[in-house]
Amino acid sequence: MTKKTILVLAVAMIICLALHLVRFSASPPGFNADEAAYGYNAYSILKTGKDEFGTPLPLLRLRSYGDNKLPGYMYATIPSVALLGLNEFSVRLPTIMSALLLVLVIYLLAREATNHEATARIAALLAAITPSLNMLSRHAHESVLMTLLISISAWCMLRIINQKNNLWWYSLGAVIAASFALYTYHSARIFYAVMIPTLGYMLWRSHKKTVFMVSLLVACLFIIPFTIAELSTPPSRLANLFIGTNTGVAAMQQELAIMSGKSPFSTMVFVVGNEIMNRYVSYFSPQYLAYHGDTNVRFGYQSMGPLSLIELGFAILGIYWALRNYQKRGVWVLLGIFLITPIPGALTWQEYSVIRTYTLFVPLIIFAAIGITMAVGAIKNKQKIWSYGLALILLGHIALTARTWEYFLVHYPSRALVIRTWEAGYSELASFVKQNYQTYDHFYITTDVGQSYMFLLFYLKYPPQDYQAAAQTSKPDEYGYSQVPGFDKFSFSNAAELPPQLPPGKPVIQVLTESQAKTLSDPAGLQRTELQRIVKGTETIFVIYAVSVPPKSIGYRTTTE
């Protein structure tokens, strides 16, 4: 690696880090329940060796909200929580580090696939600034870590293809990286099912039988317990996301069946298959890649396209080159990742999902770098006007990318829907609880804004050993999530319902949303005082009341009656 390459990589990683730290606490405007769950469970294991429910070192599944999360990201969070304490930054640090390392790995992938240093440098610079990779990694999401591991595995496979030394190291590296990815995010199942057999075929065909057998053994050490966990504690959330269970698709099939009778084209198999195919193809469309991105406003927003149109144009040039040269230097590995990645997104009912197709942007960025290199080569011996034109186009890409970042950092976090989707306001609510914990006997808190119990555990740094002793959950709801009814002085319900009896003269706290507060209808004898409103941007998230019953009240039952 030359000094020039080291300088380019250093600049790229500094830019990438700056884009992750600028307005860190402002955009995104909140800290969601899954982030809090990973952080608090890491904190719990750090303190007690057990998760929030008292399970010792859960290696296969994390019970969490009843959705049986994969535990990889939680374990990746333990070092940063140990070093920096339990806070938002320590929980998000693993994704930030993954994004920084991804810049380096994309450089390595591009160099290995093209054997062209300039292309690899361009790929690193694109990876450092592109919104598609770096917006999602500003918060804690396991798909970023999964993509890093899958990319490392792909690089190891390219090294096996392009050189014959150190096969042991690269084979084991490919297997171990892909296997760890299996425990980070559900989309990794698709990659694992393709990459590991492909690696085995490569080793067997090259007559490296010993390397093949050892790699197979290592893969089995990961896949066997994973399969057992899949059968014993299946992730309920996946079943709810599958497009075949969507009521809209079922209604479409019923309508077709009524109109066409017993036609094979009106069967559920055909309808679901057609929807999956349409969704798969849609992930390659400019609508998704350059205009809209994720339809969930937590991960995307209109005017925040993952790629610029110019970058997409260069990527198409790069794809053309890859299709013509797929047999050279393992370029087919990049094409394989490009074609495999949309499958998990296509299997769900959500129209577009960045989190399920995040890995797609790794080959796309490399293809864009190849396209830029091709454009530079095409005008090399032409008049200067061509060079000026290409420079203008590249400046246009930088301008469009900067505009997307400006929108994300300034405008996006001020949108009302974004603020509410991000479950903002819990940090301020926890501060109120800390200040008033000794003053009030009980806190009744709405669950209308996410998993309230977890946010209090997280922000209060509630002692894990105390919570483990009292943790209880309800049965999972229709979406696969369970609820915690309460712990310590806290009770949680949708409308923060008060009990039928209250101790006279002793106020309690009731925390409601603004819409719930507007529809209050208190019985006679109940006294209510508004103490505080928690406001984020233009939105009132919580309204906090002190509620009490006078000692001689006749309109509301008390515990002395």
Side-chain angles (χ1 to χ4, degrees):
M1 192 177 289
T2 65
K3 290 183 178 179
K4 186 175 181 179
T5 296
I6 293 173
L7 178 61
V8 169
L9 288 175
V11 169
M13 296 181 82
I14 289 171
I15 293 172
C16 183
L17 180 61
L19 288 173
H20 282 84
L21 297 182
V22 63
R23 290 179 60 81
F24 176 81
S25 60
S27 187
F31 185 76
N32 68 56
D34 286 331
E35 293 180 287
Y38 282 123
Y40 187 76
N41 278 280
Y43 179 71
S44 181
I45 286 178
L46 189 64
K47 295 293 184 181
T48 68
K50 302 175 182 179
D51 71 3
E52 62 178 289
F53 296 108
T55 304
L57 294 176
L59 297 177
L60 302 177
R61 290 290 184 273
L62 188 63
R63 178 178 166 186
S64 190
Y65 305 129
D67 52 348
N68 295 319
K69 288 180 172 63
L70 294 169
Y73 190 85
M74 184 268 293
Y75 281 104
T77 306
I78 290 178
S80 56
V81 171
L83 184 64
L84 303 173
L86 182 61
N87 54 65
E88 295 177 5
F89 182 76
S90 66
V91 176
R92 290 173 170 174
L93 185 58
T95 51
I96 296 174
M97 296 303 298
S98 296
L100 290 173
L101 291 173
L102 203 51
V103 172
L104 175 61
V105 175
I106 285 174
Y107 160 81
L108 294 172
L109 277 169
R111 188 180 67 176
E112 201 63 42
T114 65
N115 196 30
H116 194 267
E117 192 70 24
T119 300
R121 293 170 187 161
I122 294 170
L125 290 170
L126 290 176
I129 65 172
T130 184
S132 59
L133 290 181
N134 298 304
M135 285 182 181
L136 184 63
S137 54
R138 281 175 61 97
H139 67 91
H141 201 282
E142 55 270 43
S143 63
V144 182
L145 178 58
M146 181 207 74
T147 295
L148 173 65
L149 293 169
I150 291 296
S151 299
I152 291 173
S153 182
W155 175 71
C156 289
M157 291 177 68
L158 287 177
R159 293 292 288 173
I160 293 170
I161 293 169
N162 294 327
Q163 56 92 47
K164 304 303 180 183
N165 299 321
N166 300 317
L167 284 183
W168 277 99
W169 290 108
Y170 292 121
S171 299
L172 291 177
V175 170
I176 292 172
S179 298
F180 275 125
L182 198 60
Y183 287 84
T184 57
Y185 193 55
H186 301 298
S187 299
R189 293 170 171 82
I190 304 294
F191 293 103
Y192 197 86
V194 175
M195 295 179 78
I196 296 303
T198 301
L199 175 64
Y201 174 75
M202 288 164 51
L203 295 173
W204 188 267
R205 190 179 179 186
S206 61
H207 304 291
K208 303 296 181 180
K209 303 297 191 296
T210 305
V211 181
F212 168 80
M213 293 304 296
V214 173
S215 299
L216 178 63
L217 178 61
V218 173
C220 288
L221 292 176
F222 286 90
I223 194 61
I224 290 175
F226 183 86
T227 303
I228 294 172
E230 283 287 280
L231 297 174
S232 59
T233 55
S236 57
R237 179 70 173 147
L238 289 186
N240 295 319
L241 287 169
F242 178 56
I243 190 171
T245 63
N246 183 258
T247 55
V249 173
M252 183 191 308
Q253 185 272 326
Q254 290 173 3
E255 181 181 355
L256 288 172
I258 292 171
M259 296 176 66
S260 57
K262 295 182 179 180
S263 168
F265 302 115
S266 64
T267 62
M268 195 63 168
V269 172
F270 181 85
V271 172
V272 170
N274 186 59
E275 285 297 307
I276 290 173
M277 183 175 64
N278 289 340
R279 279 168 163 73
Y280 176 83
V281 173
S282 72
Y283 278 106
F284 301 112
S285 68
Q287 172 90 11
Y288 171 64
L289 294 173
Y291 288 110
H292 199 289
D294 204 305
T295 51
N296 182 342
V297 298
R298 185 180 290 177
F299 309 116
Y301 204 82
Q302 197 166 4
S303 300
M304 286 181 2
L307 303 174
S308 75
L309 267 175
I310 294 172
E311 190 172 15
L312 180 58
F314 282 122
I316 292 171
L317 276 178
I319 292 169
Y320 170 75
W321 175 89
L323 290 172
R324 295 195 62 180
N325 297 275
Y326 71 94
Q327 291 182 321
K328 297 180 180 178
R329 299 190 63 81
V331 173
W332 58 267
V333 174
L334 294 180
L335 285 170
I337 293 174
F338 177 68
L339 295 172
I340 290 169
T341 302
I343 295 175
L347 293 174
T348 68
W349 46 259
Q350 185 178 344
E351 185 177 2
Y352 293 133
S353 174
V354 165
I355 59 175
R356 296 182 187 93
T357 57
Y358 182 79
T359 312
L360 179 66
F361 300 105
V362 171
L364 275 173
I365 286 169
I366 295 173
F367 292 148
I370 293 170
I372 292 172
T373 304
M374 290 174 63
V376 171
I379 65 170
K380 192 171 184 179
N381 297 318
K382 295 192 175 183
Q383 296 179 351
K384 284 188 177 182
I385 187 71
W386 290 94
S387 298
Y388 294 147
L390 180 59
L392 194 62
I393 291 172
L394 292 175
L395 286 173
H397 164 62
I398 293 172
L400 290 173
T401 301
R403 185 261 176 196
T404 300
W405 274 107
E406 188 264 348
Y407 193 92
F408 174 75
L409 294 172
V410 179
H411 303 285
Y412 170 76
S414 65
R415 297 289 184 261
L417 181 59
V418 172
I419 292 170
R420 293 193 176 277
T421 303
W422 267 100
E423 301 170 327
Y426 276 106
S427 175
E428 293 82 357
L429 177 59
S431 296
F432 174 87
V433 170
K434 283 181 184 179
Q435 295 168 9
N436 295 277
Y437 181 83
Q438 300 298 334
T439 305
Y440 297 96
D441 289 340
H442 211 86
F443 296 78
Y444 297 92
I445 301 173
T446 180
T447 58
D448 197 48
V449 189
Q451 297 279 1
S452 307
Y453 89 95
M454 179 51 70
F455 286 107
L456 287 186
L457 289 174
F458 181 89
Y459 286 114
L460 296 176
K461 297 182 177 62
Y462 195 83
Q465 62 274 17
D466 294 343
Y467 179 71
Q468 290 165 12
Q472 293 182 347
T473 60
S474 64
K475 291 182 180 179
D477 59 21
E478 59 181 314
Y479 302 107
Y481 295 113
S482 57
Q483 302 288 336
V484 169
F487 68 93
D488 198 329
K489 290 184 176 184
F490 310 106
S491 293
F492 307 99
S493 60
N494 182 60
E497 289 89 352
L498 297 172
Q501 296 180 334
L502 285 175
K506 293 183 178 180
V508 297
I509 293 296
Q510 188 180 35
V511 181
L512 302 171
T513 64
E514 185 180 33
S515 60
Q516 290 170 340
K518 288 179 179 179
T519 58
L520 278 174
S521 180
D522 290 332
L526 194 67
Q527 294 183 345
R528 177 182 301 276
T529 304
E530 183 178 318
L531 299 180
Q532 183 178 332
R533 287 184 173 238
I534 294 176
V535 179
K536 299 289 287 186
T538 59
E539 299 301 295
T540 298
I541 309 299
F542 296 114
V543 183
I544 304 174
Y545 294 100
V547 182
S548 63
V549 178
K552 295 183 179 181
S553 172
I554 60 172
Y556 193 90
R557 287 183 297 163
T558 70
T559 55
T560 60
E561 293 179 339

